[in-house]
Amino acid sequence: MFVKAVAGIGQCWYNGRRGSGKGEAMEFTVVRSPEEGVPYLNRLKNAGLLAVDTETTGLDAHQDQLRLVQIGAAGMPVLLIDCVPFLEDSRGRAFLKEVLEGDSGKIFHNAKFDLQFLRGEGILPENIRDTMLSAELLRPCGGPRKVNLAAVASHYLGVSLDKTEQTGDWSGALSDSQLAYAASDSRILLQLWDCLAGRLRENGLERIADIEFACAPALARAEYDGISLDLGQWEHLCTDIQNQYEMALQALYAYSGEPSYQLTLWGGEEALDVNFDSNAYVLKLLKKNGIQVSSTSRYSLAPYHNHPLVKALTEYRKYAKLLSGFLHPLPAQIHPVTGRLHPKYGQIGAYSGRMCCWGPNIQQIPRETRFRSCFRAPEGRTLVLADYSQIELRVAAQISGDVRMKSAYTKGEDLHRLTASLVSDTSPEKVTAAQRQAAKAVNFGLIFGMGAAGLQQYAAQSYGVDMTMEEAVKFRDAFFRAYAGISWWHHDLKAGHFMEGRTMTGRKFLFTPRSGVSELANTPVQGTAADILKRALGLLYHEIREKDWKLVGIVHDEILLEVPAEDGANAARCLKAVMERAGADILPSVPCVADAKTAHSWAAK
């Protein structure tokens, strides 16, 4: 890539365009003051699409600075807005707000990142298009595995982008090479979107793309806002869990004997002859105590879950994982500027469309009160907690068309109580709490094609329900007699030899010849439930965009807000309304119900 810069205006040439022997000239101009931007204002405001990119001094929107904002539009040079002088003038911020908050569509690549830095300057773009999300949606349609800008541009346009400057120093004076690099990323977005928009349309992905694009600003808001952790309470919890960990170790020593120790190079101690983290050692210990298994997995040990050794081992593993996975790492992840945790969300974290989370992964915080009570609203504020009621079962009812299940949801009946009544031949009003708990395992297990043996294991592991194999077979047979539509749905999946599937919104995913009925059924259900939540987040963003309402947590079917105490009741009504509207938009004949409440801590849900 070569650069020529004259009086703030430059040209660079793309080399390597597929089918072209000539470079494609591209102009850019550096804008350092609002006055220099004024000649372009009307053209930018009237453009149908704007390509937007940013360069920053780092990756942290709370500590690093916005260095450049690049804006490209058809028929004009790319504007490189030098934020250091430009945003020192309040008119500069007003200029960017007028351009980026206007009606034009804004094309980003990984909008979630750029939107956080723009939010830090009070600039809140909407009407987003995202070429990275588009490429992720197009993966099952022959798209590239990697979705960074260079990989996507290479795959769809045959353009080779030089990303050398990406990791350079953007805090000082900018070189001609840096300016050309910044301009090229913005300009390529216009060409890339033109191609990807057609691919989305050809593959029936426009609806799900709109949902993903609208969700991106909400996730940017969630990452930027973060969630408050009561550190003192968390430290007390660490002490309690450490004590329980030590008790579990002592229970295991009753079977293994006390270990002998040696000093490490760092002055600590390590056990020489006992290692409960070694599968080989644990397997030998289990067999020595009459538990003949070939694996130490949770699934293999489920039939022996009442054996004292297995109980102790399960407790040990549980507390060891809590200490290493959550309790010890979380305090170090509190942000030095905000004093809050700032989880990151992978918007399309699984091929089903479900999100993932890290840094920390609050989606895996245990549901126990002692854990969730540590996540609290600061003084003068309150949390609003909302989740969907049985969202995946409702989606399964819609997809399968099961008449009885759809009727139950339409009438507002308790499906778990209904299932308990049907499989035990008991009237609904006489169903016990234990029967309803067993029905949860039956509903959530069998809806996705689990066999009787799998149901028996699943009930014990996930719901603490012991059932014999005979009971599991009886429950399974009774379930499919009661819900014939589910039975026929599974039959069709088995007979169809499907190699691809879709959610209710059109998201596409591929199967393999080895995919069983469980995967064939679960993926579109889980994916549709994820699409509903993302639709809700897109709607919610419009409600909270300029309010002092923080989006602090997203956990699959659950959304957490933090709002001023006086706004709590109104925020709960708003959150419930947008979640139910999102469900109604996607499930035409099964009502979605969301429950919302205010509370001082997350434990109230």
Side-chain angles (χ1 to χ4, degrees), residues 405-478:
M405 197 172 282
K406 289 171 66 175
S407 174
Y409 280 128
T410 300
K411 294 175 182 177
E413 296 178 4
D414 179 347
L415 192 73
H416 296 319
R417 184 171 295 277
L418 175 62
T419 297
S421 170
L422 293 170
V423 301
S424 63
D425 197 23
T426 304
S427 61
E429 62 273 10
K430 292 184 179 180
V431 167
T432 66
Q435 287 174 320
R436 187 181 183 277
Q437 181 74 353
K440 282 187 178 182
V442 171
N443 278 335
F444 287 115
L446 299 183
I447 204 83
F448 300 126
M450 195 174 283
L455 174 61
Q456 183 188 31
Q457 306 274 7
Y458 176 69
Q461 289 179 10
S462 301
Y463 292 92
V465 174
D466 290 323
M467 61 177 67
T468 65
M469 180 58 69
E470 291 73 21
E471 287 175 323
V473 170
K474 174 188 171 186
F475 289 155
R476 187 178 186 278
D477 292 345

Side-chain angles (χ1 to χ4, degrees), residues 538-584:
L539 294 171
L540 179 64
Y541 179 75
H542 288 284
E543 299 292 336
I544 70 172
R545 182 171 175 267
E546 298 191 50
K547 292 179 180 176
D548 184 21
W549 294 9
K550 295 181 184 295
L551 178 54
V552 299
I554 304 161
V555 186
H556 301 315
D557 64 349
E558 187 176 3
I559 298 174
L560 284 67
L561 293 177
E562 179 200 296
V563 303
E566 61 272 19
D567 290 351
N570 182 41
R573 285 191 295 269
C574 173
L575 184 52
K576 175 180 171 67
V578 298
M579 290 176 73
E580 292 182 349
R581 177 183 163 191

Side-chain angles (χ1 to χ4, degrees), residues 390-403 405-406 409 415 443-444 446-449 479 483 485-487 489-490 493 504 521-522 524-529 532 587 589-590 592:
Q390 302 172 13
I391 186 63
E392 291 192 351
L393 292 178
R394 293 172 189 269
V395 172
Q398 178 71 62
I399 291 176
S400 68
D402 184 86
V403 174
M405 197 172 282
K406 289 171 66 175
Y409 280 128
L415 192 73
N443 278 335
F444 287 115
L446 299 183
I447 204 83
F448 300 126
F479 177 87
Y483 301 114
I486 300 293
S487 180
W489 175 41
H490 288 180
L493 291 175
M504 295 287 294
N522 183 56
V525 170
Q526 187 181 94
T528 298
I532 291 171
L587 303 185
S589 56
V590 176
C592 279

Side-chain angles (χ1 to χ4, degrees), residues 48 73 152 195 229 243 261 314 359 378 460 481 510 530 564:
V152 176
C195 174
L229 176 72
N243 290 337
Y261 295 93
T314 301
R481 283 197 303 271
L510 301 178

